[in-house]
Amino acid sequence: MRTSIHRLRGRPRLCLTGALAVLLLFLSSSPAAPATPVPPDPTGGPITRGNAYMGIGVLAHDGASDAPPPAPRATQTEGVDVSSHQGEVDWRSLWDSGVRWAYTKATEGTYYTNPYFTQQYDGSFDAGMVRGAYHFATPDTAGGAAQADYFLAHGGGWSADGKTLPGVLDIEWNPYGDACYGKSASAMVTWIRDFLDRYKSRTGRAAVVYTATSWWSECTGNYAGFGPANPLWIARYASTVGTLPAGWSSYTMWQYTSSGPSVGDHDRFNGSQDKLREFATG
């Protein structure tokens, strides 16, 4: 490797030659490291802001078990979760198939609202289902309290009418970048707490936390402090729920598949239909 120094307007200028120049050329042309893989948009398009949906990272990071899905149980009640990807939903058909509750994506960050929200949210109610709304969290775009306010302003509220479920914080892998949204475990816990505290202070009801055990362990350090107050919606595509995140000894809801017999992801409420209405009432 050779270098030489020349003068330019009285200042030294370093000229790079030989092997060093070749090395710099190689580095400038090397491709960037690939991003963390995520499932594609179900419609076949690219994943862009607003396209995220409940469980978007579960298959990519946890996969699906080869075991058959759980058998129907009289002590559990079937549900679905939907987003804009499902478009207008045939709720009567879902009711006839045994679905008794539903969650609709309302918002993402502080920049997106589901254009099909009214048809999905009101339609499930009109079909006789107990229904609620969820918020897809993006902790790298705005604070937890700000996102809770945005959620509440766009369909995420709750009322004790026996048919409205408490709002859900969908906190999982970032489909647009770093899995933990660039936050340390302690910063992530603070963000989640800010969202949950604001939702509780404005509605009087504790929000449900939707997550997967592996993400929770990685991105919150398996924090155990939310279990006593906030119901858990666990995501695991298998015949059993497996290990739950720290702080929860049981789950309230379980997303057990992303490929159910009809529209949307399929879920189980851990109780009878009467218990479901009790849960909705608070």
Side-chain angles (χ1 to χ4, degrees):
M1 181 184 299
R2 297 183 296 110
T3 62
S4 59
I5 296 180
H6 297 271
R7 305 295 298 186
L8 179 62
R9 295 183 180 178
R11 296 184 180 180
R13 178 167 59 91
L14 181 63
C15 295
L16 304 177
T17 60
L20 180 58
V22 173
L23 177 61
L24 290 176
L25 178 62
F26 172 77
L27 291 176
S28 66
S29 62
S30 298
T36 302
V38 297
D41 182 321
T43 63
I47 289 294
T48 57
R49 289 283 178 185
N51 281 9
Y53 50 90
M54 183 177 280
I56 187 170
V58 177
L59 280 174
H61 295 265
D62 283 357
S65 170
D66 291 333
R73 294 174 58 185
T75 57
Q76 295 190 327
T77 309
E78 190 77 7
V80 296
D81 58 270
V82 297
S83 67
S84 63
H85 297 293
Q86 280 73 45
E88 293 195 359
V89 175
D90 183 353
W91 291 108
R92 177 53 56 185
S93 176
L94 282 170
W95 175 270
D96 290 344
S97 73
V99 173
R100 293 296 179 263
W101 59 277
Y103 267 96
T104 294
K105 179 181 177 180
T107 50
E108 178 177 320
T110 55
Y111 51 80
Y112 172 86
T113 58
N114 177 5
Y116 294 95
F117 179 78
T118 299
Q119 193 278 338
Q120 294 174 348
Y121 188 77
D122 292 348
S124 54
F125 181 91
D126 292 342
M129 297 180 191
V130 183
R131 52 79 163 103
Y134 79 85
H135 173 79
F136 192 93
T138 55
D140 57 341
T141 65
Q147 292 197 31
D149 286 337
Y150 188 78
F151 179 45
L152 286 164
H154 296 91
W158 171 78
S159 59
D161 58 6
K163 295 190 75 172
T164 304
L165 293 160
V168 172
L169 173 64
D170 177 356
I171 186 76
E172 56 175 295
W173 291 275
N174 178 7
Y176 314 117
D178 176 73
C180 301
Y181 301 85
K183 292 190 176 294
S184 66
S186 61
M188 182 63 75
V189 168
T190 297
W191 191 97
I192 295 170
R193 181 181 295 112
D194 289 345
F195 183 100
L196 297 177
D197 285 353
R198 179 61 63 90
Y199 190 88
K200 176 69 179 293
S201 70
R202 291 195 53 191
T203 66
R205 186 73 193 270
V208 176
V209 174
Y210 167 96
T211 196
T213 300
S214 56
W215 183 90
W216 193 263
S217 297
E218 177 185 358
C219 295
T220 74
N222 211 22
Y223 179 73
F226 298 122
N230 297 92
L232 172 67
W233 189 345
I234 189 67
R236 187 168 188 261
Y237 303 157
S239 58
T240 64
V241 296
T243 303
L244 301 179
W248 284 282
S249 58
S250 64
Y251 65 92
T252 298
M253 288 169 280
W254 169 22
Q255 187 187 60
Y256 66 87
T257 182
S258 64
S259 56
S262 54
V263 67
D265 302 318
H266 275 247
D267 312 270
R268 297 275 173 82
F269 175 80
N270 195 15
S272 66
Q273 193 170 345
D274 287 342
K275 292 296 183 182
L276 174 67
R277 292 190 181 278
E278 289 178 15
F279 176 69
T281 303

